[in-house]
Amino acid sequence: MMCEVMPTINEDTPMSQRGSQSSGSDSDSHFEQLMVNMLDERDRLLDTLRETQESLSLAQQRLQDVIYDRDSLQRQLNSALPQDIESLTGGLAGSKGADPPVS
């Protein structure tokens, strides 16, 4: 009886020389490139997120400063103006001296 022996596959041969296995190598390299592209995109998005968060933080701080300034100016305005509306309107009516003309 005779036995047929299959040819041995040398483990040291590059993937491109293995014949029918080269399509597997192509898909592996495409997959690897896809993963690299995804990781690069993730890093870019994380950088953008970090910059946006910093920008938001600065905008919120600026908003707090503006609110503080507005409240301070409102307090100054309220303290400078008379609190009694009648004193304002009475002063205006007294300066005219007469009732407004009726048409």
Side-chain angles (χ1 to χ4, degrees), residues 52-65:
T52 304
Q53 287 173 333
E54 289 173 5
S55 176
L56 175 62
S57 177
L58 290 172
Q60 287 174 333
Q61 182 59 45
R62 175 89 172 115
L63 176 63
Q64 291 301 319
D65 292 344

Side-chain angles (χ1 to χ4, degrees), residues 33-83:
Q33 186 61 42
L34 177 65
M35 293 301 293
V36 168
N37 289 343
M38 288 175 60
L39 291 173
D40 288 343
E41 182 69 11
R42 182 201 65 183
D43 291 343
R44 187 186 66 76
L45 289 172
L46 285 173
D47 288 341
T48 302
L49 175 63
R50 198 172 301 113
E51 290 170 3
T52 304
Q53 287 173 333
E54 289 173 5
S55 176
L56 175 62
S57 177
L58 290 172
Q60 287 174 333
Q61 182 59 45
R62 175 89 172 115
L63 176 63
Q64 291 301 319
D65 292 344
V66 168
I67 289 172
Y68 177 80
D69 290 345
R70 180 203 62 190
D71 292 344
S72 176
L73 290 171
Q74 186 65 44
R75 283 190 300 273
Q76 290 176 10
L77 186 61
N78 288 340
S79 68
L81 290 176
Q83 297 300 317

Side-chain angles (χ1 to χ4, degrees), residues 1-5:
M1 273 197 213
M2 225 159 129
C3 251
E4 284 191 42
V5 178

